[in-house]
Amino acid sequence: MDKKKISIWERYLTKEIGIEFKACLYFFAILFFYCMYRLCTGRTEAGILHMGEMILACYLIGYLQVYVLWNFDEADSIGAKEVTGVSVCTLIYSGLSYLLAWFDRNIFVTLGLAAYLIVTYACIILIYKTKRRIDDKKLNEELALFKTEHKKVHDKG
């Protein structure tokens, strides 16, 4: 087997690591919104059951994002697929939050969560795009260095 090719296992593992990262990222974002809601309503405790539901939802939606919705939050630009992905996931999160009473079935807070998630998705898309741009620069610098070193070795030989 050629060690330079990415194996099926490595492709799968990369997707699973991405899902883990997404689950943590979106769980933190939703948990922050939830905690701010709780504080604003005079409650200083957060429901463990709600947190369990949130993290489970984040994992399930992470799988949906990666395997069904084109991993839209890692897109290079925002188009129809990305808008569809953001819309579907926002609707699912908002629907679950209402159904499971994370925000006491307050429709205004649920709509606030939806708006917050849309902004969160937009920020994450920009973060991924910026990271890719920086990684590309780094790889190009490394390639240029490799070519320079390879030329030096080849010229000596």
Side-chain angles (χ1 to χ4, degrees), residues 37-96:
Y37 168 75
R38 301 289 287 188
L39 285 174
C40 288
T41 57
R43 295 174 280 182
T44 56
E45 303 88 23
I48 293 173
L49 182 58
H50 285 164
M51 287 188 279
E53 294 164 350
M54 288 173 193
I55 192 67
L56 180 60
C58 290
Y59 272 104
L60 294 175
I61 292 170
Y63 277 96
L64 179 70
Q65 282 181 232
V66 169
Y67 289 107
V68 178
L69 297 174
W70 320 282
N71 215 6
F72 67 86
D73 62 348
E74 295 185 36
D76 288 326
S77 61
I78 298 176
K81 283 183 176 180
E82 293 72 28
V83 170
T84 299
V86 169
S87 300
V88 167
C89 292
T90 299
L91 284 171
I92 293 170
Y93 279 124
S94 300
L96 286 172

Side-chain angles (χ1 to χ4, degrees), residues 92-131:
I92 293 170
Y93 279 124
S94 300
L96 286 172
S97 77
Y98 188 82
L99 180 70
L100 299 171
W102 297 346
F103 306 105
D104 304 314
R105 292 198 175 98
N106 182 322
I107 193 68
F108 298 110
V109 178
T110 302
L111 292 173
L113 173 68
Y116 171 76
L117 288 172
I118 291 168
V119 170
T120 300
Y121 276 119
C123 290
I124 289 170
I125 289 169
L126 290 173
I127 289 166
Y128 273 119
K129 185 176 182 174
T130 302
K131 182 183 181 327

